[in-house]
Amino acid sequence: MNCNVVKDLIPLYIDGCCSEESEKIVKEHIESCDACKKLFEDMRASSDMRASSDMISVSKAPVKLNKINDWKASVLQSVLLFLLFAAITVGVALEAQTPSGPINGFWALNLVIPATGFMLSLANWYFVRLYKSRKIFSNCSFLATLGITAGAYIWAGVHYGMNLFELFAERNLLGFFDAPQGDLYLNGIGILLAVVFCILSKALSNQYAKMLGKE
């Protein structure tokens, strides 16, 4: 067999793309031709190096992607912590300006408690890898936010000596707009914000777990 023909078949032979007859011809020829045998070995070594390089590149891609997703998840958690802490700080400062009087407790119930409930529930995010699924994690984050916030409202009711249930029963929608500024906080503004935070907790925790590869 002519060496030029074999040289054309060698790349196909290495890739396993030639017919059985051509494969047999190449194999027999390189056993008897030192020049073609050396060419075959060189081309096979080069092919193996390219394949190895491709495998390394593919293996590095998921690692790089995981690092980017970890960074995004960390940024999300950090931004939430910063915003909620800022909201609590503002609420505490405003509450400190009304230590007594008709609007004492307004900012505590309408801003500080809802923001605190959401912020404390973020501690659950550090244990995301312990959960079996993203759905379970997001549901637990929602319940954590709800539970902490509800507990804080119960404490606030005792602290301010108020019976929230009786007051809600006495108020109606029109009465909300006629209520004095001092008891405006008892008509559900803080509760509405707490509900929003609970929904955000579920949605954002789900996104956070997704960034970390949780199924």
Side-chain angles (χ1 to χ4, degrees):
M1 174 62 68
N2 188 289
C3 287
N4 291 329
V5 175
V6 173
K7 289 178 181 179
D8 292 336
L9 293 174
I10 285 178
L12 298 176
Y13 175 75
I14 293 174
D15 294 337
C17 298
C18 59
S19 64
E20 292 183 4
E21 184 178 353
S22 298
E23 184 178 340
K24 183 179 179 181
I25 292 173
V26 173
K27 188 175 182 180
E28 291 177 352
H29 182 81
I30 61 177
E31 288 178 354
S32 59
C33 178
D34 292 338
C36 290
K37 182 178 181 180
K38 186 177 186 308
L39 176 64
F40 164 73
E41 291 175 347
D42 292 342
M43 293 182 68
R44 185 173 62 178
S46 177
S47 177
D48 290 343
M49 289 180 62
R50 286 197 304 269
S52 177
S53 177
D54 291 342
M55 290 179 64
I56 293 174
S57 299
V58 170
S59 64
K60 285 184 177 179
V63 173
K64 184 177 181 180
L65 182 60
N66 288 338
K67 288 184 177 179
I68 292 175
N69 288 335
D70 288 349
W71 178 81
K72 288 181 179 179
S74 179
V75 169
L76 173 61
Q77 187 177 27
S78 299
V79 169
L80 286 175
L81 285 170
F82 173 79
L83 293 177
L84 291 169
F85 183 78
I88 293 170
T89 302
V90 171
V92 170
L94 293 172
E95 182 65 24
Q97 296 177 8
T98 58
S100 61
I103 61 172
N104 175 240
F106 176 85
W107 294 106
L109 293 171
N110 280 287
L111 182 58
V112 176
I113 288 178
T116 300
F118 191 8
M119 188 181 75
L120 292 180
S121 72
L122 293 179
N124 181 56
W125 290 24
Y126 291 103
F127 305 100
V128 59
R129 301 189 188 280
L130 300 180
Y131 289 87
K132 293 183 178 180
S133 68
R134 191 166 72 236
K135 182 178 180 181
I136 295 175
F137 171 70
S138 63
N139 287 337
C140 287
S141 296
F142 169 82
L143 292 175
T145 305
L146 179 62
I148 294 171
T149 305
Y153 271 117
I154 293 173
W155 172 87
V158 174
H159 176 74
Y160 290 105
M162 300 170 181
N163 191 326
L164 302 182
F165 297 102
E166 289 183 3
L167 190 64
F168 274 123
E170 294 175 0
R171 293 290 185 190
N172 54 41
L173 183 60
L174 294 177
F176 172 83
F177 298 100
D178 298 330
Q181 187 179 11
D183 58 9
L184 186 62
Y185 57 86
L186 296 172
N187 289 275
I189 295 178
I191 300 296
L192 179 61
L193 184 59
V195 171
V196 172
F197 280 159
C198 286
I199 295 173
L200 283 175
S201 177
K202 181 177 176 64
L204 294 177
S205 62
N206 182 72
Q207 183 63 29
Y208 176 81
K210 185 177 181 180
M211 290 176 180
L212 296 178
K214 179 68 68 173
E215 296 296 333

